[in-house]
Structure formats: C-alpha cells, structure tokens
Amino acid sequence: MFTKSDITRQSIIEKSAPIFNTKGYNATSMSDILQVTGLTKGGVYGNFSSKDEIAVEVFEYSIGKLKDALRFKVKKENTAKNKLFAILSFYRNYSIKPLTEGGCPLLNTAIEADDNLPFLKMKAQKALDELLGSLEYIIQKGIQTNEFKADLDAKKEATLIFSVIQGGLMMSKLSDDPKILNNLLEGLKNSIESQYLN
C-alpha cells in the first residue's frame, strides 16, 4: 500500500521526467520542477535530498517505461527473427513519435552525462548493458533453436543493431528527418533476413 509520501514522490518523478528529458539535467532548474509539480521547495525537498536524486529517479522511471514497452512488443512474438523485427518496428518514426517526451532517455542522458555527471553516466551504462543483454539473449536463443546461423556472434550483432538504432535516432533528430532512422531500420531488417537465417 502506497503512503501519501510515496504518491507525492512518484508524482514529482512523473511530472519532472519530461523536463529533464527535454531540457537535460544542467538546464533543468528547481524552479522548473516547482512549477510543473505545483509544490513548494519544502514539498520537493521533503521527498528528495537534491536535484541529483530527482534526476536519477527520473531516469530510472523513463528508462523503465522504455524497457517495459519494448518487452511488451517482444513478448508477443514467438520466433527470434520476429522478436528482432518487433524491436525495429518499435523504433520506426521514434525521432518524431518518441515514447517519452523529449526523445530517448538513454541517448539523451548518455550524451549529457558522458563527461560531467558520473552518477547519471553510471545509470545510463547499466541501462545500456541491460538493453544490449536482452538483444544478445534473443540472438543467442535464435542460434540455439537453429533459427539463426551457428557462426553468428550474438554479442557483436547485438552491439551492431543497437548502435545503428541509436546512431540513426541521433541523426534523425539532428536533421529533423525521420527517414534516416527508418532507412537504417529497414537495412537492419534486410540484414537479418539475409545474414542471420539458416
């Protein structure tokens, strides 16, 4: 059962998430958080010790939404190939229709936290490892069930797929052109069809 404090805390996280994901950590001020939550400083600091703590919780919340949505799409499919295709389909038009306001929380956080926010970089690294691990698991399962070729390097292929998705997403956002990402996703799909299957 949730306490009033739990509900307030979760509300702060959910309402702050779009600001952090759109403006970034450095550009998000406590005034922004107070404005969007409608709370006083005491109301926010009664639930969080600092902006850093809010940022970490916001990232966990946003990346959790992403992982849950991906898991939901993947679980509907029965074959490794279709699970990979479900992931590619999930990211189609993602640069203009992201799941979370402001775009991909992993990409946004990784770029901003790389050099000067070690506490957020650590969280982004963990999320990256989990997403790569899930991709690798799907490919490995495809190899084990003889759906995919035995000589595939599951770890290498998972890294390639995710790098192309994230790179395409960055390029599409920067260029305001969703076709860049979509064309890369189509290329990955063709590659899976032609190089993975037995």
Side-chain angles (χ1 to χ4, degrees), residues 71-88:
R71 198 176 295 118
F72 180 76
K73 283 207 80 158
V74 166
K75 278 193 169 181
K76 289 181 177 179
E77 305 300 336
N78 295 318
T79 66
K81 180 187 88 168
N82 286 343
K83 285 179 187 293
L84 292 180
F85 284 0
I87 293 168
L88 300 182

Side-chain angles (χ1 to χ4, degrees), residues 18-29 51 108 112 117:
I19 302 171
F20 275 101
N21 204 37
T22 302
K23 295 178 74 171
Y25 172 86
N26 287 321
T28 298
S29 67
K51 183 177 127 178
N108 292 346
E112 187 179 26
L117 300 169

Side-chain angles (χ1 to χ4, degrees), residues 59-60 63 105-114 117-131 162:
F59 176 75
E60 294 283 12
I63 204 69
L106 179 60
L107 181 63
N108 292 346
T109 304
I111 291 169
E112 187 179 26
D114 181 36
L117 300 169
F119 65 97
L120 273 179
K121 181 178 181 179
M122 187 177 64
K123 292 291 181 182
Q125 283 175 328
K126 183 174 179 249
L128 174 63
D129 289 344
E130 287 173 5
L131 290 164
F162 200 70

